[in-house]
Amino acid sequence: KTPSHTAKPHTMFSMKLLALTGALAGAAAFAPMGLAPSMRRAGATSSALRMQQDGPKTLIRQTFLTPELFKSIDVDESGTIDLEELKNAVKFSSSADVRALIQRGDLNGDGVIDYPEYERLMNMEVYGDAAGGNFYVRQALDLGLLKPTSPLADCVMVGNKGFDPLGLAKNLVELDTFREAEIKHGRLAMLAAVGWPAAERLNPYFTKAMGAPDLLVAGGKVPSLLNGGLENINPIFFAGVIAFTAFVETEVLNKVKLRENRQPGDLGFDPLGLYKGKSFEEKRSLELKELQNGRLAMIAISGMTHHY
C-alpha cells in the first residue's frame, strides 16, 4: 500500500469524528435548559434539595420538587412563594429552616421564590448545586468557555447554555439587553427563513394574478444585495420599511420596556392567546421554544444566504 492509501481511512475517520463533535455541540445548543444527556426520569428517586445547613437539609430530604408542588404551595396564585406560604407547607420545620430555604432559592434577593427560581431549585435537586443545577453552564465553566464571574454562571434566564466565550455580559442589565437583541434577531430570522423561499415560490402566481411585473432576478431568485435586482424595487417601499422600524423602536418598544417585571422580548403581542392563561411551566416552555427556533432560524438564514 502506498502512504496515501494508508492515510485515507485515518482522514475519513477524523472527518467523521469532527462532524460528530459538531452535531453534538449543535444539539446541546438547542437542548432544553437544565437537562443533561441523562435527563430527568419519571419515577426516579431523589434526595431532593441539599441545604448547606443540617436543618434545611432534613426539611426537604423527602420532597421531590415538581411544578405541581409549586402550584400547591403558591396558595394565593401570585406566581411566587413567600415565607408564610412555605411555613404553612412545611409546618413540621422551624422558621429558621424555612427562612434558609427561601434565601437559598431567592436568587434575586426580593424575598420570594418565583417560578424561574423554583425551576432552578428543581434542577439543583437533580444535577447538584453547582451552576444552579445547569449542566451546560457547568460544562462551559469546566472548559474555560465561561468566566465564573459571568451573570450566566448562575441565573434563571430560559435557554441559558453558558455560551459567552468573549465575556460580553458583565451584569444582569447587559444580559437582558443581549437577550432582547437575540430574541429580536431570532424573530426576524424566522420570518426571513420562511419569507425568502416563499417569495421565490409564490411570486409567479401573485404577479400573474395581479398583473404586476416579475421582480425576481435571473434564476428566479429574490432581489438582494447578493443577488442584485434591488434597483428595480420602488424606493418608497424601502422608505416605508425604515419609517415603520423607526416608529416601532422609538415609540412602541420604549413604552413596553417601562412595564414593571417585563421579560426581555415581551411585547405583549399574543393575538391568538397562545401564551395568556398558561401555567408558569407552560410559559417557560413556550419561551424556550421561541428562543430555540430563533437560534435555529438565524443559522438557517445564514446558510441560505451563503448558498445563494
Side-chain angles (χ1 to χ4, degrees), residues 196-220:
W196 192 329
E200 294 181 346
R201 297 295 182 182
L202 301 178
N203 179 75
Y205 303 102
F206 282 109
T207 54
K208 183 178 180 180
M210 301 174 63
D214 189 348
L215 298 178
L216 296 181
V217 299

Side-chain angles (χ1 to χ4, degrees), residues 70-302:
F70 180 88
K71 296 177 185 177
S72 64
I73 298 177
D74 181 26
V75 293
D76 60 359
E77 299 182 350
S78 63
T80 61
I81 297 175
D82 57 32
L83 184 61
E84 293 302 319
E85 288 175 328
L86 195 56
K87 282 183 179 179
N88 293 332
V90 287
K91 296 179 180 179
F92 57 86
S93 182
S94 67
S95 297
D97 291 344
V98 177
R99 191 175 295 106
L101 178 57
I102 286 285
Q103 292 176 350
R104 182 169 184 266
D106 180 21
L107 191 61
N108 60 5
D110 60 358
V112 295
I113 300 176
D114 57 23
Y115 189 79
E117 291 171 331
Y118 183 83
E119 186 178 73
R120 170 177 170 268
L121 290 176
M122 289 194 295
N123 290 330
M124 291 166 65
E125 179 187 25
V126 178
Y127 303 114
D129 292 3
N134 192 316
F135 174 84
Y136 297 104
V137 171
R138 196 156 58 231
Q139 292 297 310
L141 290 170
D142 292 342
L143 294 174
L145 300 177
L146 184 68
K147 296 180 180 179
T149 56
S150 170
L152 288 172
D154 189 4
C155 74
V156 295
M157 181 172 282
V158 67
N160 176 22
K161 298 295 184 293
F163 184 78
D164 186 18
L166 300 180
L168 299 178
K170 301 296 191 301
N171 51 61
L172 290 176
V173 175
E174 290 185 357
L175 185 59
D176 283 347
T177 301
F178 287 128
R179 173 51 61 87
E180 187 89 35
E182 180 183 23
I183 293 176
K184 184 187 300 182
H185 283 86
R187 289 168 176 170
L188 289 174
M190 285 188 282
L191 292 174
V194 174
W196 192 329
E200 294 181 346
R201 297 295 182 182
L202 301 178
N203 179 75
Y205 303 102
F206 282 109
T207 54
K208 183 178 180 180
M210 301 174 63
D214 189 348
L215 298 178
L216 296 181
V217 299
K221 297 181 179 180
V222 170
S224 67
L225 290 174
L226 299 177
N227 299 334
L230 291 178
E231 66 277 2
N232 299 323
I233 307 297
N234 194 324
I236 298 179
F237 170 78
F238 294 110
V241 170
I242 294 174
F244 175 76
T245 303
F247 170 76
V248 170
E249 289 289 343
T250 57
E251 296 295 329
V252 179
L253 292 185
N254 284 339
K255 292 180 180 179
V256 169
K257 288 178 181 178
L258 294 177
R259 291 210 317 260
E260 187 178 359
N261 297 325
R262 174 183 174 272
Q263 295 295 324
D266 180 14
L267 304 180
F269 182 77
D270 185 23
L272 299 180
L274 300 177
Y275 189 83
K276 185 178 180 180
K278 296 293 190 299
S279 66
F280 297 109
E281 181 185 15
E282 291 173 319
K283 287 181 178 180
R284 294 278 287 183
S285 176
L286 290 172
E287 293 168 9
L288 181 61
K289 289 176 181 177
E290 180 187 32
L291 185 67
Q292 290 175 333
N293 282 287
R295 289 171 175 172
L296 182 60
M298 286 188 280
I299 296 174
I301 197 64
S302 299

